[in-house]
Amino acid sequence: MTPLDLAGYLVAALMTAVALWRMPAALWGDEEDKRRRALWGCYAGFAVALWTKTRAVRIALNDSAVTDLAVLIKHYTATIAILAILSYIVAIYGHYPDAGTVPRHVRFARAIQQVATKASIATLILLTVLFFTVVDRSVPSDRFVADHAGQWGATLYMSVFYLYLGTASAVCAYQWALATAGAGLRHLRVGLGMMTFAMFIGVGYTVSRTLFLWIGVVDTPSEDFALKFDEITEAAQVVLFAFFAVGASVPALGKGQRRARLWRAQVKLHGLWYELMTAFPEQPFDPPASLARELTRFDTPADLRVDRWAADIADAVEKLRHYVPDTLLPAARAAAADDSGDAPDGGKAGPLAEAYWIKAALRARSTGAPASGAATVAARHATDQDGEVAWLVRVATACRTVTQDRAEQVLARAVSAASAESAPATGTTAPARTPSLEETA
């Protein structure tokens, strides 16, 4: 296996990985999100085309009952992928008011897209006719362009495909160059720049190959020169698809990082959420399941699931307030300060105090404490949903360190303090008083 063959397998695997990565968003996105579907169609089409170019696949197909079948499949799938990418270019510009001014580059993209479908169908039909009529397929080929150099039938066939491919590459290069200049975010600018560079390589690839084929009709090149030219241009195409796949994925890295954070949040929140939902099974929309099952619920987006879990935890805590005395909050804070060596409202003690409160409240409810008025709880620690989730993750992490015995000790201390408060005063000694929320905050 030559280095070029190995590179062909690697870039085909890369494009396939990107297509699989983008597939869920394309299949389960809403009807308004045409961009993801169009871009995924481009990835999927080029992935199939690239696999037909790999050595093992192309030899197997070219030696099949239909000679050089790999070439025809490659051009079919590439044509469909190009149509998808032209649709993507139009989709990214969104909608403009009918009465408003539409930028010239948007009008240009729309004009190209309007004829793209018809041009694609015409190209597929013409390629099919030429492939089965004028292309010499008496002997299976390995490198189609090099093996058919100097043959007018193969030259005409490839010229039709290169005209379509080159035009689409030039349109993409023009549109993405404009988009790169106007991109505000660095990762978007880098991604668009890489895709623009890939399309310029595509233009050079199609022009050079077309010239080589037609010059070869007039003056047939030597076998060594034809093979060397084919290898050089194939290497350029490998670079093209590598830049295209990586560049198109760069803008999505920000979203990918957010998905990773959401995934980690689910992993860390699940234990606390599961314990609370088991105590209040009527709270969640669906019965709580194992972590593996929850992470594979593809019918609900990760961000929505995390937000729902945060709301479920908050609602469960609100219900637990009715089973504990006001003295549980200062008792939990004191225990957290003792165990962490931090101030009662410090960065370490804060989440641990809430963890003690939740664990002790769950213990009180499970042992049959009667429901009564709502007890005092700590003030909210965040002003937005992301901040609330981050706080709950810290609390959930602290909950995993709280043993059942320690929770019972905190609860016993709180009950004892509540009993002391409710006992009648003797002499002139003032009764013990539970600190208020403002005093303990």
Side-chain angles (χ1 to χ4, degrees):
M1 180 184 296
T2 65
L4 183 59
D5 291 330
L6 178 60
Y9 284 107
L10 293 177
V11 75
L14 174 62
M15 190 65 72
T16 303
V18 174
L20 293 174
W21 173 36
R22 293 297 190 97
M23 184 170 64
L27 296 181
W28 296 307
D30 54 38
E31 290 296 327
E32 295 290 328
D33 198 357
K34 297 180 179 179
R35 294 180 298 175
R36 293 178 180 178
R37 291 187 179 89
L39 193 57
W40 176 77
C42 174
Y43 290 140
F46 279 135
V48 175
L50 287 170
W51 279 113
T52 62
K53 290 167 63 69
T54 57
R55 179 173 179 80
V57 176
R58 76 170 183 265
I59 290 178
L61 291 175
N62 288 343
D63 292 342
S64 65
V66 179
T67 306
D68 290 345
L69 180 60
V71 177
L72 190 62
I73 294 177
K74 176 181 66 177
H75 292 159
Y76 276 175
T77 53
T79 300
I80 296 172
I82 292 168
L83 176 61
I85 202 170
L86 292 175
S87 301
Y88 168 75
I89 290 176
V90 175
I92 62 176
Y93 291 122
H95 300 284
Y96 286 86
D98 295 336
T101 302
V102 180
R104 182 173 61 182
H105 63 282
V106 178
R107 296 198 304 270
F108 174 73
R110 289 178 176 177
I112 292 296
Q113 202 272 337
Q114 287 176 357
V115 301
T117 302
K118 296 179 181 178
S120 299
I121 295 174
T123 299
L124 290 174
I125 294 174
L126 189 54
L127 287 176
T128 304
V129 172
L130 293 175
F131 183 81
F132 287 104
T133 55
V134 300
V135 176
D136 181 6
R137 298 184 298 111
S138 56
V139 178
S141 62
D142 182 37
R143 296 288 182 180
F144 187 82
V145 170
D147 293 344
H148 292 79
Q151 299 178 11
W152 71 270
T155 299
L156 180 60
Y157 170 84
M158 293 301 302
S159 297
V160 171
F161 177 71
Y162 287 150
L163 176 63
Y164 181 82
L165 176 62
T167 302
S169 299
V171 170
C172 292
Y174 169 71
Q175 297 290 339
W176 288 337
L178 293 177
T180 302
L185 300 176
R186 184 176 64 177
H187 65 273
L188 181 60
R189 187 164 59 251
V190 170
L192 286 170
M194 295 178 70
M195 294 168 69
T196 303
F197 178 68
M199 291 302 103
F200 277 117
I201 295 178
V203 173
Y205 172 84
T206 56
V207 171
S208 62
R209 284 208 155 197
T210 303
L211 290 175
F212 168 79
L213 286 169
W214 282 107
I215 292 174
V217 172
V218 178
D219 183 12
T220 303
S222 65
E223 183 177 344
D224 291 340
F225 178 82
L227 183 59
K228 190 66 176 178
F229 177 84
D230 184 80
E231 291 177 346
I232 292 174
T233 51
E234 281 296 313
Q237 192 179 60
V238 168
V239 174
L240 181 161
F241 280 110
F243 269 88
F244 176 76
V246 175
S249 302
V250 166
L253 290 180
K255 294 182 179 179
Q257 292 173 349
R258 175 170 173 76
R259 291 192 185 99
R261 288 196 299 269
L262 290 171
W263 186 85
R264 289 195 298 269
Q266 290 178 78
V267 172
K268 294 180 179 180
L269 284 177
H270 180 265
L272 174 60
W273 175 81
Y274 186 88
E275 186 174 11
L276 289 171
M277 294 307 99
T278 302
F280 300 99
E282 74 283 354
Q283 178 66 42
F285 288 105
D286 298 309
S290 65
L291 177 60
R293 178 67 184 94
E294 293 292 344
L295 291 178
T296 53
R297 290 185 188 271
F298 297 114
D299 56 336
T300 304
D303 55 347
L304 179 59
R305 185 181 299 113
V306 170
D307 289 346
R308 185 181 295 170
W309 285 8
D312 287 340
I313 292 172
D315 291 342
V317 169
E318 184 66 25
K319 292 178 180 179
L320 286 174
R321 293 177 63 187
H322 296 275
Y323 296 92
V324 296
D326 286 336
T327 52
L328 180 58
L329 180 59
R333 285 177 169 170
D338 292 341
D339 292 349
S340 65
D342 196 4
D345 57 349
K348 297 179 181 178
L352 184 57
E354 187 151 344
Y356 277 139
W357 192 98
I358 292 173
K359 287 287 190 175
L362 283 169
R363 180 59 180 167
R365 183 179 182 275
S366 65
T367 54
S372 58
T376 302
V377 293
R380 296 183 66 86
H381 293 78
T383 58
D384 57 22
Q385 192 68 19
D386 288 343
E388 181 68 15
V389 170
W391 169 256
L392 289 177
V393 165
R394 296 176 64 191
V395 173
T397 302
C399 278
R400 290 195 289 270
T401 67
V402 178
T403 64
Q404 193 70 20
D405 290 342
R406 188 61 172 139
E408 290 179 355
Q409 292 174 7
V410 173
L411 179 60
R413 181 187 300 180
V415 172
S416 177
S419 299
E421 283 187 354
S422 62
T426 60
T428 58
T429 304
R433 183 176 65 88
T434 301
S436 66
L437 178 61
E438 289 77 8
E439 293 171 332
T440 57

